[in-house]
Amino acid sequence: MGWLSWTLIALVALALVGAGLWWWALSAQSVATLDRVDALFTGSKVEQSAPIPFGTELEQAVVVATPLAPSAELRPVVLFVHGGSWNRGSAVDYAFVARNLAIEGYVGVSAGYRLVPGGEFPAMVEDAARALRWTVDHIADYGGDPDRIYLMGHSAGAYNVAMLALDAQWLEHEDLPMDAIKGVIGLAGPYDFLPLDSDSTSNAFGGASDLAATQPINFARSDAPPMLLLTGYADTTVRPRNSRALAAALTREGQSTEPVLLPGLTHSGIIMALSRPFEGNGAVKAAIFGFLAAREHGDRATPSSPIQAAGG
């Protein structure tokens, strides 16, 4: 075989090793390993901060990633909140999301929150609000525009940011106006999950005095920020009905919203697609950055995915 064939074989082998590493890390709950892999591909293109506390607990911290390329203007900001069933994860572990946002010209912020045990509802939503308060107050120091902040979360983190955007009390607690959030991106989020039928939801919400008040779907309103509800048909952890239900509730209230459902995408695959070199076909990033670009250019309509499939 010639050098080209050997090169192709080497690239395929590298891809297989990388994919194996990703799935091993997810099963072993070692997202930190994936962050280190991603850093090999993105580290020279962005600047990343050390963890910055916004509270007294270890988990109450943010990591900020900024593009290395200079900008004469303040950049739009995306505040990301990680998943992990409300009982695992950290801002540092998911810094790869902030870096991949920075590569596209945004100031990326990865935020942590108090975890169960000790972080039961409403602690996780309170911490999301505190992270937003920190971002509004300090992000200009990192080249970010405090008047152009978007929220994004995966799984449990998508729940956190949805509650922050829909239930007005959480922003009020931090003396933040409702228009502090310019848009929300929910990745495979649980928005309508009563009755509590898993250990993770029971442990995080079982002590709430009013379970209905823990559900994002019950706070759908006409003046909610624009929302991109992105999920995969192959997600058996947080099923696509959650995104469908919240989109339908928002539409009924007058905030026209369509869920974007991607074929073949799993619960872990949707967050995997935000790391390098595991973007897959690029559909997840295309949907996210298309939504953000539309908001930045004043188009309030939620874009549909060009590869959205029927059924599911």
Side-chain angles (χ1 to χ4, degrees):
M1 292 187 293
W3 67 269
L4 181 58
S5 297
W6 283 113
T7 300
L8 291 174
I9 291 172
L11 290 174
V12 170
L14 180 62
L16 291 173
V17 169
L21 176 63
W22 173 268
W23 294 115
W24 168 81
L26 284 178
S27 63
Q29 299 179 7
S30 181
V31 180
T33 302
L34 305 178
D35 181 69
R36 288 191 288 271
V37 172
D38 178 83
L40 296 175
F41 291 83
T42 60
S44 64
K45 301 174 183 177
V46 303
E47 183 175 354
Q48 178 179 320
S49 75
I52 305 164
F54 62 81
T56 58
E57 300 297 323
L58 180 64
E59 299 97 342
Q60 294 172 312
V62 297
V63 172
V64 181
T66 56
L68 285 180
S71 174
E73 300 179 351
L74 294 177
R75 300 178 184 272
V77 181
V78 181
L79 172 61
F80 172 79
V81 182
H82 67 80
S85 300
W86 300 283
N87 61 37
R88 63 185 183 272
S90 73
V92 175
D93 289 350
Y94 286 84
F96 67 88
V97 178
R99 288 196 301 271
N100 278 268
L101 289 164
I103 287 174
E104 298 295 330
Y106 297 85
V107 174
V109 182
S110 173
Y113 51 93
R114 285 168 288 173
L115 302 173
V116 175
E120 292 81 3
F121 181 87
M124 71 284 280
V125 187
E126 293 172 340
D127 283 357
R130 294 182 72 178
L132 178 57
R133 176 78 264 178
W134 181 94
T135 303
V136 169
D137 291 343
H138 299 286
I139 205 62
D141 297 336
Y142 298 85
D145 189 343
D147 294 323
R148 294 154 68 201
I149 298 176
Y150 302 88
L151 303 184
M152 180 166 71
H154 171 243
S155 192
Y159 167 88
N160 297 358
V161 300
M163 283 295 285
L164 194 61
L166 295 174
D167 185 354
Q169 66 171 307
W170 308 113
L171 293 190
E172 291 173 359
H173 288 172
E174 294 296 331
D175 196 26
L176 289 166
M178 291 308 295
D179 63 0
I181 302 170
K182 299 307 180 188
V184 178
I185 301 166
L187 307 178
Y191 312 116
D192 179 25
F193 52 87
L194 294 182
L196 305 179
D197 58 3
S198 68
D199 288 344
S200 60
T201 55
S202 295
N203 292 338
F205 300 95
S209 59
D210 182 1
L211 284 177
T214 69
Q215 302 296 292
I217 194 171
N218 292 331
F219 297 95
R221 51 190 176 81
S222 61
D223 59 343
M227 300 185 77
L228 171 64
L229 303 175
L230 184 62
T231 190
Y233 279 131
D235 191 338
T236 59
T237 302
V238 178
R239 295 186 181 275
R241 67 168 183 80
N242 282 267
S243 295
R244 289 193 183 103
L246 181 55
L250 287 165
T251 299
R252 286 195 299 271
E253 294 298 322
Q255 176 65 281
S256 181
T257 307
E258 289 290 336
V260 176
L261 308 175
L262 300 180
L265 196 65
T266 64
H267 190 69
S268 54
I270 200 169
I271 190 68
M272 172 180 176
L274 289 176
S275 68
R276 297 192 177 200
F278 305 110
E279 297 99 327
N281 65 5
V284 173
K285 285 186 174 180
I288 290 171
F289 292 118
F291 174 85
L292 291 170
R295 306 284 77 69
E296 285 294 294
H297 290 90
D299 178 4
R300 301 294 291 180
T302 301
S304 297
S305 168
I307 61 172
Q308 185 170 346

